[in-house]
Amino acid sequence: MATIIPDQKRIGMVSLGCPKALVDSERILTKLRADGYAMSPDYQGADVVLVNTCGFLDSAKEESLAAIGEAIAENGRVIVTGCMGNEAELIRAKFPQVLAVTGAHQYEAVVEAVHEAAPPSQGPYVDLVPQNYGDMADIKLTPRHYSYLKISEGCNHACSFCIIPSLRGKLASRRIDAVLREAEKLVAAGTRELLVISQDTSAYGVDVRHEERNWKAKNSQQERPVRTHMTDLARELGGLRTPDGETPWVRLHYVYPYPHVDAVIPLMAEGLITPYLDIPFQHASPSVLKAMKRPANEAKVLERLKAWREICPDIAVRSSFVVGFPGETEADFQYLLDWLDEAQLDRVGAFRFEPVAGAAANALPGAVPEQLKEERYARIMERTEAISAAKLAAKVGRTVQVIIDEVGEPDEDGDLGATGRSQADAPEIDGAVYLRDVPAGTKPGDFVSVQIEDADAHDLFGVIAD
């Protein structure tokens, strides 16, 4: 009698929000695949659709609600998870037909909800992926050549405009040996760029008092203790090598400028860590920083930026700033513009202040009118765009290392173009490097040396150097 192999249940996924949420989505899908589920690329083929939401700003919540509504309209069987999961009553009031609502990084609760909504067809003919899927997210939602490496959850800060601690809890650092094992496996599997993410990368290990764990890298003969600390993590990641012996890029995101960050800059100068820091300054005016409940040490930051550039001249610093925070005066805003002129940051993003339900900043006096927010947003973007244009223009004529993200189709003359990024460019955040006449056989993930021929306010243009 022939054995009837049950059809695999199929899962659809809509992942919104920041890279940390993307890592959550990867982990959820990896566990589901290990449980015998297949992935669906569209709504129609899915037995159930997961929507991983973002709930940081009202605009993000609106996007999340729209995504839930679309999934219900297109499929009807929807499970909601992510940061907006803490507003289950709001979600259920608007979409009573959702099957389940879970909070951020509640992996087991999501998987349990999927099991209930679409029981897995388990059996030896279906479960080809080992149940013990370990600590690595086998399913990637990013291209093969770069991966996000999440080192912790939550945050210990009490910024007045932020509700992350209420969404994701206090800082909870992952074991450093587990993080290093995941990084090693990712690089062995083809990752050429690791993007280290968390809510506060500089605070890694504070909650466990920087405990030591024994670690033995594959290319080492000896096990040794390693602290759960950002500098130790950076040093170990800088020792990884791709299968062909190259040093992968290691890019640090969400780095608060604590004093020990200074120790990472020499690793960048040595070529072990990508010379790039993503630092959430948020503002520069002491009075606004105080209202935000953030450290007001903008003068010392300028001194440290100068010192970092003396150690590692190629370091790129990116940041984001909030304009129109309650109580922000014209003098405060001008202070920020003047500070940016002096800081000369390489990449800058700006956001108009939005009240977030549950944030202490909502009760602050001195609300800035929306029209004034728009005016200040336009002014800061104009100022930072001019700084960026000058910095990129200075790279014309230089040769820079680039990682290839995408190779285009041949044009009518058979010539190939490609899009890549320099070490100063994080994926989907910063600029790009556009290449002409790339050799046949060039593929995503390749490191190439590029002669820069032109630049605009955000991007570079060039050709692979001979």
Side-chain angles (χ1 to χ4, degrees):
M1 180 178 176
T3 300
I4 298 175
I5 301 176
D7 292 334
Q8 282 181 285
K9 298 296 175 61
R10 303 181 71 84
I11 305 299
M13 169 67 84
V14 178
S15 188
L16 305 173
C18 64
K20 294 176 285 295
L22 189 69
V23 173
D24 290 345
S25 296
E26 291 177 339
R27 293 187 179 281
I28 291 167
L29 292 179
T30 295
K31 179 63 174 75
L32 290 171
R33 190 178 73 170
D35 287 351
Y37 292 90
M39 302 302 118
S40 174
D42 52 41
Y43 290 119
Q44 285 70 31
D47 292 284
V48 64
V49 175
L50 301 179
V51 180
N52 192 357
T53 59
C54 178
F56 183 53
L57 298 173
D58 287 347
S59 55
K61 291 179 182 179
E62 290 173 7
E63 182 183 7
S64 294
L65 291 172
I68 296 169
E70 179 180 329
I72 288 174
E74 296 291 335
N75 181 279
R77 297 176 57 76
V78 176
I79 293 171
V80 178
T81 187
C83 286
M84 202 177 170
N86 71 325
E87 299 189 47
E89 292 183 4
L90 170 64
I91 292 170
R92 290 191 179 281
K94 189 171 180 64
F95 304 109
Q97 60 270 64
V98 295
L99 302 176
V101 181
T102 71
H105 58 86
Q106 294 181 359
Y107 310 128
E108 296 304 321
V110 178
V111 171
E112 184 179 335
V114 172
H115 283 188
E116 184 174 336
S121 305
Q122 293 185 330
Y125 301 98
V126 175
D127 288 345
L128 302 181
V129 179
Q131 292 292 325
N132 182 17
Y133 61 98
D135 194 62
M136 188 180 79
D138 294 323
I139 290 180
K140 291 175 81 271
L141 300 179
T142 56
R144 183 171 181 263
H145 62 281
Y146 67 80
S147 302
Y148 292 104
L149 182 68
K150 185 158 65 171
I151 63 173
S152 64
E153 294 285 359
C155 179
N156 288 343
H157 293 286
C159 302
S160 62
F161 57 86
C162 182
I163 58 171
I164 291 295
S166 66
L167 294 177
R168 291 183 171 260
K170 292 290 188 180
L171 176 71
S173 300
R174 293 179 60 199
R175 289 176 47 156
I176 191 165
D177 52 341
V179 173
L180 291 173
R181 187 179 305 113
E182 178 179 346
E184 194 174 61
K185 289 180 178 179
L186 285 168
V187 171
T191 291
R192 314 274 283 182
E193 179 179 14
L194 290 166
L195 301 111
V196 179
I197 58 170
S198 67
Q199 297 298 338
D200 181 355
T201 294
S202 305
Y204 177 59
V206 166
D207 55 313
V208 294
R209 301 189 178 188
H210 302 301
E211 66 179 6
E212 290 187 343
R213 292 280 182 177
N214 288 330
W215 165 248
K216 180 178 179 295
K218 281 190 175 181
N219 59 1
S220 173
Q221 300 297 317
Q222 188 174 358
E223 188 175 74
R224 64 185 184 280
V226 181
R227 287 187 310 158
T228 308
H229 193 284
M230 187 188 83
T231 55
D232 292 52
L233 174 65
R235 190 176 300 110
E236 294 298 324
L237 292 176
L240 294 174
R241 296 295 179 268
T242 65
D244 54 5
E246 291 193 275
T247 301
W249 288 1
V250 178
R251 194 180 296 277
L252 301 177
H253 288 270
Y254 310 105
V255 177
Y256 283 72
Y258 304 151
H260 64 260
V261 174
D262 294 349
V264 176
I265 311 304
L267 299 178
M268 297 179 178
E270 294 171 30
L272 299 178
I273 299 295
T274 304
Y276 177 100
L277 282 178
D278 171 18
I279 303 178
F281 289 123
Q282 307 295 4
H283 214 281
S285 165
S287 61
V288 175
L289 290 170
K290 183 177 180 181
M292 289 179 168
K293 296 188 176 179
R294 295 179 68 82
N297 57 352
E298 76 293 340
K300 190 173 181 181
V301 166
L302 290 173
E303 295 174 7
R304 292 174 71 199
L305 284 170
K306 181 180 179 181
W308 294 348
R309 286 166 175 154
E310 289 175 353
I311 297 169
C312 183
D314 287 334
I315 187 171
V317 180
R318 95 163 319 275
S319 190
S320 55
F321 296 87
V322 177
V323 299
F325 191 80
E328 181 190 59
T329 65
E330 180 60 28
D332 291 325
F333 182 69
Q334 187 60 50
Y335 189 105
L336 171 58
L337 294 182
D338 293 342
W339 187 90
L340 286 167
D341 282 339
E342 189 168 353
Q344 290 288 298
L345 302 182
D346 299 84
R347 300 294 193 186
V348 172
F351 303 90
R352 309 158 189 82
F353 172 76
E354 289 185 31
V356 179
N362 300 345
L364 292 175
V368 177
E370 292 300 319
Q371 184 176 351
L372 187 53
K373 285 184 193 177
E374 291 296 331
E375 178 192 321
R376 289 177 180 172
Y377 174 78
R379 288 166 63 191
I380 192 173
M381 294 310 295
E382 181 181 7
R383 182 70 57 91
T384 57
E385 187 174 276
I387 293 171
S388 175
K391 280 182 163 283
L392 294 180
K395 295 184 179 183
V396 174
R398 290 182 54 189
T399 298
V400 301
Q401 189 182 33
V402 167
I403 189 169
I404 299 295
D405 282 332
E406 184 179 359
V407 178
E409 295 295 326
D411 62 17
E412 61 273 12
D413 296 323
D415 296 328
L416 288 174
T419 304
R421 289 175 290 107
S422 73
Q423 291 189 318
D425 303 307
E428 300 184 2
I429 297 175
D430 301 318
V433 181
Y434 295 100
L435 308 180
R436 63 174 179 85
D437 302 336
V438 300
T442 303
K443 60 186 183 303
D446 284 351
F447 290 127
V448 294
S449 293
V450 174
Q451 181 82 19
I452 302 302
E453 300 174 315
D454 199 2
D456 60 20
H458 304 289
D459 305 312
L460 297 170
F461 304 83
V463 64
I464 295 179
D466 295 332

